[in-house]
Amino acid sequence: GIEGVLESYLQSLRTVQLYGPTNFAPVINQVAGTAAQVTDGSQYHVLLIITDGVISDMLQTKEAIVTASALPMSIIIVGVGPAEFEGE
């Protein structure tokens, strides 16, 4: 549930250092590759990206999202912190 997601997020914050550039296309393509292997409808993937920075590879990210749109997956991007996310 949501409690598990929040606990994983808090645990991650204790062990990683956030810094740029913020490139989303590689992780979207990685999850899309995994989702593409499911051909029988038995699995659905949800990619949750929590970011504190503006997306550095916007063109590639848009292309990755379009490519992944036909796969059994959803992509949720949440911006946190003081960065400027308007227009993205």
Side-chain angles (χ1 to χ4, degrees):
I2 189 69
E3 294 83 16
V5 171
L6 290 174
E7 179 58 34
S8 293
Y9 173 69
L10 292 173
Q11 180 63 31
S12 295
L13 284 179
R14 294 183 200 112
T15 60
V16 293
Q17 181 179 4
L18 302 175
Y19 61 93
T22 305
N23 296 320
F24 290 169
V27 71
I28 293 170
N29 290 329
Q30 178 70 35
V31 175
T34 302
Q37 295 177 7
V38 180
T39 58
D40 63 0
S42 64
Q43 296 180 17
Y44 190 85
H45 297 77
V46 178
L47 173 59
L48 173 62
I49 301 174
I50 302 173
T51 181
D52 70 338
V54 176
I55 301 170
S56 301
D57 65 340
M58 183 58 79
L59 180 61
Q60 294 88 348
T61 295
K62 288 179 181 180
E63 291 172 356
I65 291 170
V66 169
T67 300
S69 66
L71 297 172
M73 65 179 286
S74 292
I75 302 167
I76 303 166
I77 301 173
V78 179
V80 297
E84 180 63 46
F85 295 102
E86 198 168 303
E88 291 199 25

